Amino acid sequence: MSFDGFMHRHIPVSDFSDFLENIIYKSPKGVYASCSYYNHPAKNMAEKEWKGSDLAFDIDADALNLKCKNQHDHWICKNCGKVGKGPRPNSCIKCKDNKINVLTWSCSNCLGATKNEAIKLFDILVQDFGISQKNISTFFSGNKGYHLVVENSVYEKLDRRERREIVDYVSCKEISLQYLGFNKKFSYSQLIQHMPSSNQPGWPGRMAHFFTDYEIDSSADSLNDSEKIAKLYSSKSKFNKIFKQSVVSLRSNIDPSVTPDTSRIFRLPTSLHNKSGFAKIKCEDILSFEPSTQPVVLGSEPLKINITFCPVFTLKGITYGPFKKSTETLPTFASVYLLLNKLATIA
Amino acid sequence: MKLVDVGKEDYAKYPFLPETGDFVQKLNFTINDLLDSDYNILENAKNRIIYGFKHGTSPTSISNVEVDILSFPLALLLIKSTNNSYAISKFALAESKRIENFLLNERQSVIPKLFEIILKIQPIEIKDDSVGKWDYKIPLTGYLPRSLHLRGINWRLVNRLVDQGFVYVKHKEIVELLRSEIYEMIIAKLDEIKIPPSLFENKSISKIIKEIQNSTPRPPLDNRNIVFTGEYPPCISKAIEMVKNGDQVKHYGKFLMTTFLLRAGKNVDDVIKMYPTSLGFSESITRYQVEHIAGLKGSGTKYSVPSCKTMQTNDFCFKTKACGNITNPLQFRNKTNTVKKNTRQKH
């Protein structure tokens, strides 16, 4: 992607030095690579001849609709410069103009939440889909989320519709109580016989685990797992709420439009994200991965910038801001972060 | 692969078996032999087709094995000669239903091998009920392309027991999964068959083809030629309203709105005007994207309107009663929408 915002696609490279030469010569704003395999990758889409695609997933903090968004997301009126917290209004509350920029920010809560979604997804891929751990690469996206890419698997040939089923499975979309064994017409003893068990694989096992861990009351202490789940189900209105909670808690909240796309391009690993200046890097151990430190690869040399506005942010363990209409000298990585978010200009 | 333990009756039940082909070849019948046969194979083939039209399944009682075996290729010739796509699909469906009925009552020793021949995958028999009462497990990559043809939420992957890349199924279900495969095998056989021009010279054949044509049920109304003069489907109305109000519309919402409007008769400029620059849409970027979707840019691919299922997956479905059972927003119609060609499908 060039600095005018347009994508330049289908660029063939013969080897790594050719690739580097292209990068240096073109100085792109962002670099992407396809997760698909083609017989003729340099030709246009119609002539490429698709051979298969990695099974790829995108997890982004913006899609999680976390409560912290209301605290750190802002809108900025292009006309009068008015800044407001939370979702974008239809028009500026000060000058009534409707040309408004939206600033989606991230915090440690957002980054923790996306990491949690990535961990859940990893588990589903390994346990349910039988994908070998060595074939799954987990990347920090370089901004507010993670990319999980499955290579060399039997799923490479899946078409869009089939991948959509995978998305719905991972997202627990339209999961039906009926196929977990619940039935309104069952008597209590029938229910006990049909309850999912935490020994089962897949969703029945995960759901059963969630339900048996759920605290009901002391009278449930003497019940076995099936009896406990049946008792929970019998408390109708309460159960519906618990079921919804289980779905939200157990599913992996992936971007549903990314995985089915069999000609998707993803930011190139190790390249810099054009909205943050952080690198997209592979997480060898996601549990110990530090998203506000490890991907920050630019230098710490001081860089003076004029900041229009910016909320608090933490990089490499140091908290910056908030700033409003001020000139600051920050480490290059922090200044670049604000410059790319269009919140500052070089002084 | 050859089946052990199969007899002539199995050839009649499963005309796709290699053994059936060998058997027919050994009989060394020509078309004329079939027509002149004392056993009235021609009449049997005709009755097989018409019975299927009426009952949704070809006859499952086999009175004379040889006649039954030979009537299948003749029925293929006759139905193809009608050159009526609706009749052909009804016939293929009735034949697949017939095979399904046989499979449901088939002896255990033959079943896994039959599945292997038809599905090209080997189902693994489940011999204990530690994860529930299942008969087989099949690879996920074998399950997905087949289940997508089937209606009902029980076929959705999220409602199945999935473990280590396998999906658990019951005997009845695996037979149902097979149906579309058989249907496609029969359609493939029909595609292969070449009609000898001399066939129509035979008066009794011509008479029978006419009889079949007259017995073909009327196809349903074609819903593809619609011009939207009135209300749009709820998802489109919602996308238009959100764009108009300057609300944040997900990429998929805008993609849906654009593909739909282009297919529903709007030109590129009309669509671009629906994304007001006053609300921050850049005209050059909008034009680039709309022209790309319309196939005027890039590879020239005209993008299709995403299906209702895709929109559900992407959380952009606002289904109302008026939607009924449509599977694509283009099928939406109500009193204010006019059907351009209120005709039946052409053949």
Side-chain angles (χ1 to χ4, degrees):
Chain A
M1 182 168 69
S2 59
F3 275 83
D4 60 10
F6 285 95
M7 300 293 274
H8 298 265
R9 291 168 181 267
H10 322 299
I11 303 169
V13 285
S14 52
D15 53 30
F16 189 64
S17 63
D18 188 19
F19 164 74
L20 279 182
E21 210 171 283
N22 257 278
I23 296 282
I24 294 164
Y25 176 69
K26 289 178 176 142
S27 302
K29 192 177 181 186
V31 189
Y32 300 81
S34 175
C35 63
S36 304
Y37 304 97
Y38 300 100
N39 282 327
H40 310 290
K43 292 191 175 177
N44 65 35
M45 283 313 293
E47 295 169 333
K48 278 186 194 290
E49 293 179 15
W50 184 83
K51 287 200 296 184
S53 297
D54 294 337
L55 193 58
F57 301 86
D58 179 29
I59 294 166
D60 191 280
D62 288 338
L64 302 184
N65 289 321
L66 299 164
K67 281 181 185 164
C68 56
K69 269 177 84 68
N70 288 327
Q71 293 305 311
H72 55 59
D73 282 8
H74 288 77
W75 55 268
I76 305 154
C77 176
K78 279 185 178 179
N79 183 43
C80 69
K82 171 79 184 162
V83 174
K85 249 186 197 177
R88 175 194 193 278
N90 285 339
S91 57
C92 173
I93 54 169
K94 188 177 169 195
C95 71
K96 304 295 172 203
D97 198 282
N98 52 15
K99 286 179 186 163
I100 292 171
N101 275 341
V102 174
L103 174 68
T104 53
W105 211 235
S106 63
C107 65
S108 58
N109 182 51
C110 304
L111 295 173
T114 50
K115 187 196 265 196
N116 192 32
E117 298 301 317
I119 292 167
K120 285 189 281 180
L121 173 61
F122 191 91
D123 176 68
I124 295 171
L125 295 178
V126 173
Q127 299 300 331
D128 299 19
F129 298 153
I131 297 168
S132 163
Q133 295 192 19
K134 68 176 174 18
N135 290 338
I136 306 172
S137 299
T138 306
F139 298 97
F140 177 67
S141 71
N143 196 15
K144 288 180 267 184
Y146 291 86
H147 297 160
L148 269 81
V149 181
V150 179
E151 290 176 300
N152 301 318
S153 79
V154 291
Y155 302 108
E156 249 174 42
K157 296 276 181 197
L158 293 185
D159 68 17
R160 285 167 188 249
R161 291 200 313 155
E162 291 156 8
R163 285 167 197 252
R164 212 168 285 133
E165 278 292 285
I166 300 267
V167 169
D168 288 353
Y169 184 88
V170 167
S171 319
C172 214
K173 187 150 185 146
E174 288 180 41
I175 191 164
S176 164
L177 279 172
Q178 185 188 344
Y179 300 103
L180 289 168
F182 298 97
N183 190 327
K184 282 177 187 166
K185 288 177 187 162
F186 281 166
S187 65
Y188 185 67
S189 57
Q190 280 176 311
L191 262 182
I192 291 169
Q193 284 171 15
H194 289 86
M195 289 302 90
S197 148
S198 45
N199 295 329
Q200 279 180 293
W203 286 121
R206 282 190 197 92
M207 291 283 177
H209 215 277
F210 185 92
F211 295 142
T212 49
D213 279 355
Y214 198 87
E215 296 286 332
I216 313 180
D217 52 53
S218 56
S219 68
D221 291 350
S222 58
L223 302 176
N224 66 30
D225 287 354
S226 298
E227 289 166 342
K228 193 177 172 188
I229 300 173
K231 185 176 174 173
L232 207 59
Y233 180 65
S234 306
S235 63
K236 301 298 177 198
S237 58
K238 193 179 168 191
F239 181 78
N240 289 338
K241 204 176 150 194
I242 298 167
F243 179 56
K244 276 182 191 161
Q245 278 175 19
S246 71
V247 169
V248 172
S249 158
L250 299 171
R251 72 177 175 196
S252 177
N253 210 332
I254 55 172
D255 183 334
S257 64
V258 171
T259 308
D261 189 345
T262 51
S263 50
R264 189 84 184 182
I265 51 169
F266 274 83
R267 190 172 302 285
L268 188 78
T270 72
S271 71
L272 298 183
H273 196 294
N274 51 287
K275 285 181 185 165
S276 66
F278 310 149
K280 170 175 173 174
I281 55 171
K282 191 169 178 179
C283 314
E284 297 301 343
D285 174 20
I286 189 157
L287 291 173
S288 63
F289 183 75
E290 282 291 341
S292 59
T293 303
Q294 285 167 261
V296 184
V297 292
L298 291 178
S300 308
E301 300 78 16
L303 182 62
K304 199 173 175 184
I305 49 171
N306 295 322
I307 304 171
T308 47
F309 155 80
C310 101
V312 174
F313 63 103
T314 302
L315 295 175
K316 285 192 163 180
I318 299 168
T319 300
Y320 303 91
F323 301 115
K324 197 171 183 184
K325 288 183 183 162
S326 66
T327 301
E328 304 287 339
T329 301
L330 303 178
T332 300
F333 60 80
S335 292
V336 168
Y337 182 55
L338 298 186
L339 289 166
L340 289 173
N341 274 287
K342 295 180 182 166
L343 299 174
T345 52
I346 293 177
Chain B
M1 184 200 314
K2 297 269 174 180
L3 271 173
V4 284
D5 301 334
V6 288
K8 262 199 289 184
E9 194 170 329
D10 294 304
Y11 306 158
K13 284 173 4 186
Y14 308 115
F16 51 82
L17 291 176
E19 286 87 345
T20 315
D22 294 348
F23 179 79
V24 173
Q25 246 177 5
K26 271 182 201 158
L27 290 176
N28 205 18
F29 267 92
T30 64
I31 289 180
N32 284 334
D33 291 337
L34 290 175
L35 300 179
D36 298 339
S37 157
D38 291 342
Y39 292 104
N40 218 349
I41 298 167
L42 183 63
E43 192 66 16
N44 193 289
K46 179 196 83 179
N47 291 341
R48 183 173 183 144
I49 294 169
I50 294 174
Y51 186 94
F53 287 162
K54 281 185 186 161
H55 298 91
T57 171
S58 300
T60 47
S61 58
I62 300 168
S63 49
N64 182 318
V65 173
E66 279 87 358
V67 170
D68 210 279
I69 292 170
L70 292 168
S71 76
F72 178 73
L74 196 54
L76 291 177
L77 266 177
L78 290 173
I79 198 75
K80 187 158 182 180
S81 303
T82 63
N83 202 24
N84 178 327
S85 60
Y86 188 67
I88 289 170
S89 75
K90 287 290 267 184
F91 167 77
L93 203 62
E95 282 294 318
S96 53
K97 189 79 185 153
R98 170 183 184 266
I99 293 168
E100 190 183 324
N101 284 329
F102 287 134
L103 282 170
L104 280 172
N105 301 303
E106 195 48 87
R107 53 203 190 279
Q108 202 66 33
S109 62
V110 185
I111 284 227
K113 284 284 175 195
L114 277 171
F115 291 151
E116 205 174 335
I117 291 169
I118 305 163
L119 293 170
K120 310 278 186 280
I121 50 167
Q122 194 159 23
I124 297 169
E125 216 175 325
I126 306 294
K127 290 183 174 146
D128 61 62
D129 57 0
S130 59
V131 291
K133 286 177 183 165
W134 303 100
D135 298 311
Y136 300 98
K137 61 177 182 180
I138 59 171
L140 187 55
T141 46
Y143 175 83
L144 281 177
R146 292 165 180 98
S147 63
L148 282 169
H149 295 286
L150 300 169
R151 285 196 171 209
I153 57 164
N154 57 316
W155 293 110
R156 303 289 313 278
L157 191 64
V158 72
N159 289 319
R160 310 299 310 191
L161 190 67
V162 182
D163 184 35
Q164 292 299 320
F166 284 90
V167 182
Y168 288 75
V169 285
K170 294 191 172 157
H171 179 171
K172 199 180 157 202
E173 291 175 329
I174 202 167
V175 171
E176 211 173 332
L177 279 172
L178 207 69
R179 186 193 289 165
S180 63
E181 212 82 7
I182 307 254
Y183 174 82
E184 276 154 29
M185 281 169 75
I186 291 163
I187 291 285
K189 278 202 177 292
L190 282 158
D191 287 343
E192 279 169 25
I193 275 191
K194 299 251 180 322
I195 310 281
S198 57
L199 194 74
F200 298 101
E201 288 163 15
N202 183 308
K203 276 186 185 167
S204 54
I205 290 262
S206 297
K207 193 179 152 222
I208 279 185
I209 292 171
K210 217 163 244 173
E211 249 183 271
I212 294 169
Q213 277 168 334
N214 291 337
S215 310
T216 305
R218 297 187 77 189
L221 275 173
D222 184 359
N223 57 14
R224 282 170 298 181
N225 298 314
I226 262 188
V227 167
F228 284 85
T229 55
E231 202 177 312
Y232 289 135
C235 50
I236 306 296
S237 304
K238 181 77 179 173
I240 294 172
E241 185 196 326
M242 286 173 81
V243 167
K244 216 187 257 177
N245 292 340
D247 295 338
Q248 290 279 303
V249 187
K250 286 183 178 177
H251 160 73
Y252 244 92
K254 287 184 277 192
F255 180 77
L256 169 77
M257 174 178 151
T258 305
T259 49
F260 181 91
L261 293 172
L262 289 170
R263 289 291 173 107
K266 297 248 183 224
N267 63 35
V268 168
D269 288 324
D270 292 339
V271 178
I272 292 168
K273 277 181 204 154
M274 298 184 80
Y275 292 94
T277 50
S278 61
L279 290 178
F281 290 104
S282 150
E283 195 189 333
S284 63
I285 291 178
T286 304
R287 177 170 293 281
Y288 175 82
Q289 288 170 338
V290 173
E291 287 182 349
H292 195 90
I293 289 169
L296 305 173
K297 282 263 161 70
S299 63
T301 307
K302 278 186 191 171
Y303 286 83
S304 310
V305 181
S307 66
C308 295
K309 190 165 181 295
T310 305
M311 297 321 295
Q312 281 159 13
T313 301
N314 288 287
D315 278 328
F316 208 88
C317 172
F318 305 91
K319 191 173 177 165
T320 63
K321 271 187 186 170
C323 293
N325 289 324
I326 61 168
T327 54
N328 188 293
L330 273 180
Q331 294 164 334
F332 183 84
R333 59 174 71 160
N334 61 20
K335 285 173 193 165
T336 55
N337 293 324
T338 56
V339 178
K340 197 178 185 180
K341 290 180 186 171
N342 196 357
T343 54
R344 292 187 182 270
Q345 281 175 2
K346 285 181 179 176
H347 304 289

